[in-house]
DNA sequence: CTGTATCCCATCCGATACTG
DNA sequence: CAGTATCGGATGGGATACAG
């Protein structure tokens, strides 16, 4: 019966970068700039925003060491560490089926564009924004 | 090293309703209208869109039974069934820490609004849209 | 080094109406 | 029953510039 609340999981994990950062920080504490480099692809803005959100939810802790260039470390809380295994499992799954999913997408898209009798290949798409990213 | 790809997990699970629907369909096949009722809160549009996306990724199968009112069933594929346990674990985690997280949020928000010396309580917020939902 | 402020476009998603 | 078409508001998220 907990189905109705299943969405709650993703509310806390629903950002583009949350899981990635959580996974990294669960292994060991990292500084801001370290994360910026390790995550790779993330903007400074999104890193800050994501860290804020995770901190707000009590999943990570922000510690400021008053050095001369300030030094800030982010570490996972106990509550977040409980997630570690499931998150890794999820990531492994994604890795394992990476190819299969890409294939499924291509097949689906081919079927979609090949079927219509009287539609040009350059279908402008109505409002049907793909719910997941392309490619 | 698989960190960089961790985001891929959520690409396939990144919708507001994907996990919920996946979890339901993993238990047993459901019809469109059944899902519409069970999920509760989802619009017809989003149900259709989410189902399309999951089907495209090869996570669910759409089967049309040519009855007199048409009957369409959605069921999980083998690949999706592998996710079932981790997803349940995740959902359980969310349920267990529901209260703690809500508390952490309130505490965080209180600290944020109580601290500033010279800022009105009705801060309009610059562009800082919360990365996760409020409440 | 560690962020925050803006601008701004892309996408999400709900409400509503129409169809085979 | 099982969708699709459109409009429109709310966020997400990148680029860039500025600040403690």
């Amino acid at each position: 019966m907990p189905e109705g609340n299943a969405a709650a999981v993703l509310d806390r994990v629903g950002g583009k970068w949350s899981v990635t950062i959580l996974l990294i920080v669960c292994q060991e504490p990292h500084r801001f700039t370290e994360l910026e480099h390790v995550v790779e692809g993330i903007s400074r803005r999104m890193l800050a925003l994501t860290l804020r959100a995770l901190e707000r939810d009590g999943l990570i802790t922000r510690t400021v060491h008053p050095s001369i260039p300030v030094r800030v470390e982010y570490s996972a809380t106990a509550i977040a560490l409980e997630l570690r295994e499931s998150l890794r499992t999820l990531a492994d799954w994604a890795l394992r089926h990476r190819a299969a999913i890409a294939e499924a997408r291509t097949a689906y898209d081919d079927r979609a564009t090949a079927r219509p009798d009287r539609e040009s290949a350059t279908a402008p798409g109505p409002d049907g924004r793909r719910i997941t990213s392309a490619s």
Side-chain angles (χ1 to χ4, degrees), chain A:
Chain A
M1 183 243 85
E3 270 73 27
N5 306 103
V9 187
L10 288 205
D11 279 1
R12 327 202 181 291
V13 140
K16 186 178 178 182
W17 308 101
S18 305
V19 171
T20 308
I21 291 180
L22 221 34
L23 239 18
I24 294 174
V25 165
C26 271
Q27 296 186 5
E28 57 178 326
H30 281 73
R31 305 179 51 181
F32 189 87
T33 310
E34 284 175 0
L35 287 170
E36 201 174 356
H37 284 114
V38 173
V39 176
E40 183 160 9
I42 195 171
S43 61
R44 185 173 288 122
R45 171 183 145 84
M46 283 320 293
L47 179 54
L49 243 40
T50 305
L51 288 172
R52 285 259 157 290
L54 292 175
E55 189 194 354
R56 186 168 103 105
D57 284 357
L59 298 182
I60 63 176
T61 316
R62 192 182 101 113
T63 316
V64 182
H65 303 277
S67 326
I68 269 313
V70 196
R71 175 193 180 84
V72 182
E73 280 208 337
Y74 294 92
S75 45
T77 61
I79 220 178
L81 284 171
E82 290 180 37
L83 270 176
R84 202 180 157 187
E85 284 314 308
S86 339
L87 253 30
R88 284 228 65 83
T89 306
L90 234 34
D92 285 352
W93 176 91
L95 241 34
R96 280 205 314 280
H97 299 296
R98 202 193 169 71
I101 291 176
E103 235 176 286
R105 284 189 183 178
T106 314
Y108 186 93
D109 292 348
D110 285 356
R111 248 174 291 140
T113 51
R115 206 184 314 145
D117 335 65
R118 52 169 65 222
E119 196 173 336
S120 72
T122 59
D127 182 25
R129 302 98 159 198
R130 288 312 170 10
I131 195 178
T132 48
S133 64
S135 177

